[in-house]
Every structure is written in structure tokens, then in C-alpha cells.
Amino acid sequence: MVQIKEEKRAMYRRIFVITLPIVLQNLLSAAVNSADVVMLNYVGSSSLSAGSLASQYMSIAFMIYYGLGTGVSMLSAQYWGKGDVGAIHKVEGIALRFSTIISTLFLLCCSFLPTKMMKIFTNDQVLIEIGADYLRIVGISFIFWGFVSIYEAVLRSVGRVKICTLIDGVALGLNVLLNAVFIFGLFGLPQMGIRGVALATTISRGVALVICIVVSLCSKDVKIVIQPIFHRHPGLFKDFLTMSIPALGNDIIWSVGFSMYSVILGHLGDDVVAANAIVSVVRNLGSVFCFAIGSATGIILGQMLGENRKEEAKTMSHILLRLSFITGILGGLIVFAITPFALHYANITETAKNYLKFMLLINTYYITGSAVNTTLIAGTFRAGGDSRFGFICDTVDMWGYAIPLGFLAAFVLKLPIQVVYFLLCTDEFVKWPWVFKHYYSYKWAKNITRDKVV
């Protein structure tokens, strides 16, 4: 009995050691996003709305990089548990090859097609012009971001979460400072408004890449290795595609689908766009613990499965699932606590404030659904290389249910905006029966490493 209690304490200590730096990392990221919104709030509602819509492409890019990083993490965590650093570098090289191609495509689109990119989200000419200015400047940051995302995925998968927190902390702190300088024209510089946000983002991501290079040079084992980008690794390449493509597809399907929610709301008026921009920030603040548990789940279970400790991994997964429920409830309470401040300080119309109040109320419970699904789909299942289930589940849920329902409610039935938003936010709970059924089948609990990596 004493031994069992000690084992559980050890499990909780391991969760805490890995989760705390991720929480800090997520808090920093959410704080910077909040700072962007607060500063643009004082510039004007048009800049706030345009920035919210243009940043949807940042959200899509984030999910793509996250999908590639997931493929890296699934394999690297298990190979780290097995003690094969060479295989980790090969996996990293394969992922960097993909991220460089994708980053270049984003750069070209932002440089030559920014107006068309904005027209997807809104038909308001003022918002299109403001958002296009943002995209032209921020385009180059995708190149920096692609490299940083993959290397940080490798570091997290081997338990070097504190280093990732340090990298992001410095870069994000710099982002906040430069936002204030460029937006408001401090120290004699011209006021740049939303273009200042784009420039600050680009510079801070460039600095993050420089820090990653320094960390790599100082590291004894896990480094940024360029040579594997150009080499063929048939076995690992096949494994990476088998696991990453469904994960990448899942994240793209989810991020583009979530952006479609903004497309639906974006065509219902500026007031709902402005309200949704603030809701996104508050929801991110409430979700920091939830996403931290999801990320920690992938790392911990991946390493345990790589060590062939399957039964212990199952026990640990139950603990992490309970924690996801707790953090989801905590996230809802955070949203509830922030709501009065958001309503008081938001520089938006009274109509927009009415939308904002309702949307924040919905998110007090919506976060719990998101927390559980993130932990299971993006954490538990992917730890064992099972990314296919999430891809199928989110494709059916978002594109077969939530998005058609949203379009029907908004543009055919012309229901009130509050009803449209409520219906869109049922997506996380609709898929619970299938997610829990798959979880308790334990088909995800697999060792996916190869004995010989050629």
C-alpha cells in the first residue's frame, strides 16, 4: 500500500515538473496576445477587428507547425525513452524539410496576395486594407517560426521544457516591449499602429531563432542538425508520414475549421468580430493549464511507451485525464473572473459588449470540453502514435456537423447571433462518446520505435 502511494506521488511529481514550465510558457504566450489586443484596443476598433481576422493565418500556421511538431514529439519521445539520439536528429531533419516548404508558401502568399487573403474573412474594405498591411510585414516571421517550432518540439519531447520556456519568455517579452514602442511611437519613432504589431512579431521570432541556435551549439546531445534535412531516411520517413500526416491533417482541419467559425461571425457584422477578438484572448488565458496538461501527456506517456512500460502508461493516462477535467473547470472559473474586467475596459460598442458577455459565458464551460479532448486526442492517443483517430474525429465533427450547422443557422435560418455562437460551441461535446470509447479500448498504447534505424 505504501509502495503504491509512493509510486503515485512520483507520478504526480513527474507531471508537475514537466507541466509547470509549459504552463508558464502558455501564460507568457497568452499574455503577449492579450497585450496585442489591449494596445490595438486603444488604436481603434477597426485595427482590433482587422488584427483579429489577419491573425487567423497565424493560428492556421501554428496548427500546421504544431502538427509537424507532434510527429516529431511522438517519435522523439519514444526514441529518447529508448536512448537513440541519432534517430531523433533524423526525425528533426525530416520535419525541418516540411516546415521550410510550408513557411516559404506563407511568406509568398503574405507578400503577393495579402488583400485576397483578407477577403476570405471579410468584405469590409477598411478591414481588408488594414489587415493586408499586417500580413505584408509579418510574412518573413513564418521562416523563423518554422525552425523554432520544430526544435522546441524536439526539446520538449526529451523533457527540456524549461529551455523552451526560457526561449519563449525572452522572445515574447521582447514582443510586448516592441509592440508598445512601434504601435504608439515611443522614443521618437513614428506611430505604426497594427503594422507595429507585425514588425514586433517578426523581430521577436527572429530573436527566438537566434536563441535556439545558441542553445543548439551549447547542447551535448539534442541539436539543430542541418545535414539530415537533405538525407533520405526511408524507415523513419515512412514512420513520420504515417504519424505526422494524420496529425498535421487533424490540426489543419481543426484550425481551418475553427477559422471558419470566424468567417461565419465575420459576415455578421463588425460588433461580433470585435467581441470575438476579445473572447479569443480571454479563452486563451483560461486554457493555459488545459493545453499544458495536453502537452505534458504526450511527453510523459510517449517516453513510458518507448520504455515498454505500457501498464504504467495506462495508469498515468487515468491521472492525466482527471487532471484535464480539473484544469477545464479551473479555466472556466478564470474566464468567469476575467469577464467583468473585459466588459469594463473593452473599447467597443454597447451592442458588441452584449455579444461579448454572452460569448464569455458560453466559454466558461466550453473550455472543459476542449481540455478533455486536447488531452486525449493530442496527448494520450498521439503518445502511442495514434493520430489517425483524431483526424477522422475532427473532420466529421467540424466539417460534417459544426460548420454546416453554423452556416445554416446564420445565413439560411438567420437566427440571432447568440444562438449561432452557441451552436458553434457544441462541437467539443458532440465528439465525447467516440473519444472516450477509443480511449478505453487502449488501442493507442503502443511502442512505435524501430530496433534498427538505417
Side-chain angles (χ1 to χ4, degrees):
M1 189 69 176
V2 175
Q3 185 179 356
I4 294 174
K5 287 184 177 180
E6 186 56 38
E7 287 176 356
K8 284 195 172 182
R9 288 196 193 98
M11 287 182 175
Y12 279 110
R13 280 196 297 269
R14 187 175 183 182
I15 293 170
F16 179 79
V17 168
I18 292 179
T19 303
L20 182 60
I22 299 176
V23 169
L24 294 175
Q25 192 176 5
N26 291 346
L27 275 173
L28 289 168
S29 181
V32 170
N33 291 335
S34 302
D36 287 354
V37 171
V38 169
M39 292 175 192
L40 287 175
N41 181 53
Y42 287 103
V43 174
S45 61
S46 293
S47 292
L48 176 62
S49 298
S52 172
L53 293 175
S55 66
Q56 293 300 315
Y57 289 103
M58 308 296 282
S59 299
I60 293 171
F62 169 79
M63 295 310 297
I64 293 173
Y65 295 140
Y66 185 80
L68 290 174
T70 297
V72 172
S73 297
M74 283 191 289
L75 289 164
S76 297
Q78 292 214 11
Y79 277 111
W80 183 257
K82 192 175 183 178
D84 191 342
V85 178
I88 293 174
H89 286 147
K90 292 178 175 66
V91 171
E92 178 189 22
I94 294 168
L96 285 174
R97 191 186 311 162
F98 281 102
S99 72
T100 301
I101 294 169
I102 292 166
S103 299
T104 302
L105 289 174
F106 271 106
L107 170 60
L108 293 174
C109 289
C110 289
S111 299
F112 300 107
L113 302 171
T115 301
K116 292 183 178 179
M117 292 171 73
M118 286 300 299
K119 284 182 178 178
I120 294 174
F121 290 103
T122 182
N123 49 14
D124 187 309
Q125 193 58 39
V126 174
L127 299 185
I128 290 171
E129 291 177 2
I130 295 173
D133 285 341
Y134 174 90
L135 290 172
R136 288 189 190 96
I137 297 172
V138 85
I140 188 63
S141 72
F142 289 100
I143 301 294
F144 307 144
W145 195 9
F147 270 84
V148 172
S149 296
I150 299 304
Y151 187 53
E152 286 192 340
V154 174
L155 290 173
R156 279 193 295 269
S157 68
V158 302
R160 308 274 173 81
V161 184
K162 292 180 182 178
I163 297 176
C164 296
T165 304
L166 175 63
I167 294 169
D168 288 348
V170 172
L172 296 175
L174 179 63
N175 194 5
V176 172
L177 176 63
L178 293 179
N179 272 340
V181 172
F182 295 142
I183 291 174
F184 301 116
L186 305 180
F187 307 115
L189 294 174
Q191 293 184 3
M192 297 180 66
I194 195 172
R195 291 176 298 156
V197 175
L199 183 58
T201 297
T202 302
I203 293 173
S204 63
R205 288 202 173 127
V207 170
L209 177 58
V210 171
I211 298 174
C212 283
I213 293 171
V214 172
V215 170
S216 173
L217 292 173
C218 297
S219 177
K220 294 180 180 179
D221 41 36
V222 180
K223 298 176 176 290
I224 298 177
V225 183
I226 302 299
Q227 293 90 335
I229 297 177
F230 306 101
H231 293 167
R232 294 182 70 251
H233 312 288
L236 281 177
F237 186 77
K238 180 182 177 182
D239 291 344
F240 184 81
L241 289 182
T242 301
M243 295 166 200
S244 279
I245 294 301
L248 179 58
N250 185 186
D251 292 332
I252 292 174
I253 285 292
W254 189 90
S255 60
V256 175
F258 209 76
S259 295
M260 288 302 295
Y261 297 178
S262 296
V263 170
I264 294 170
L265 297 174
H267 286 82
L268 296 178
D270 289 349
D271 286 332
V272 70
V273 172
N276 192 44
I278 297 171
V279 168
S280 297
V281 173
V282 177
R283 182 173 56 236
N284 288 339
L285 286 169
S287 300
V288 290
F289 296 101
C290 310
F291 287 116
I293 290 295
S295 298
T297 297
I299 296 168
I300 295 169
L301 297 185
Q303 291 180 0
M304 294 176 79
L305 290 171
E307 296 168 357
N308 281 321
R309 296 160 58 196
K310 293 184 181 181
E311 293 305 316
E312 292 177 59
K314 290 178 185 178
T315 302
M316 178 66 87
S317 73
H318 296 319
I319 294 172
L320 290 162
L321 178 57
R322 287 196 294 271
L323 287 175
S324 73
F325 272 105
I326 294 169
T327 55
I329 295 169
L330 176 61
L333 293 174
I334 291 172
V335 171
F336 185 77
I338 294 174
T339 296
F341 299 97
L343 292 170
H344 180 75
Y345 290 105
N347 184 24
I348 54 179
T349 66
E350 285 302 315
T351 301
K353 284 187 178 182
N354 289 331
Y355 294 148
L356 176 61
K357 184 177 181 180
F358 178 83
M359 293 161 80
L360 288 174
L361 178 63
I362 293 293
N363 277 276
T364 57
Y365 67 82
Y366 181 74
I367 286 179
T368 301
S370 178
V372 172
N373 287 327
T374 298
T375 296
L376 291 179
I377 295 175
T380 303
F381 300 162
R382 291 184 181 184
D386 184 0
S387 54
R388 185 170 173 269
F389 174 84
F391 173 64
I392 296 172
C393 182
D394 281 336
T395 300
V396 173
D397 177 59
M398 299 193 81
W399 293 90
Y401 167 75
I403 294 171
L405 181 63
F407 272 103
L408 178 67
F411 306 120
V412 178
L413 301 178
K414 299 186 184 300
L415 297 176
I417 288 172
Q418 290 91 334
V419 176
V420 174
Y421 189 79
F422 168 77
L423 292 173
L424 288 173
C425 290
T426 58
D427 62 330
E428 293 289 356
F429 299 97
V430 166
K431 58 189 176 187
W432 267 16
W434 292 272
V435 171
F436 279 107
K437 181 181 178 181
H438 188 68
Y439 170 69
Y440 285 110
S441 73
Y442 298 113
K443 293 178 181 178
W444 50 267
K446 298 177 182 177
N447 183 329
I448 55 176
T449 60
R450 291 174 177 266
D451 291 331
K452 294 183 179 179
V453 178
V454 180

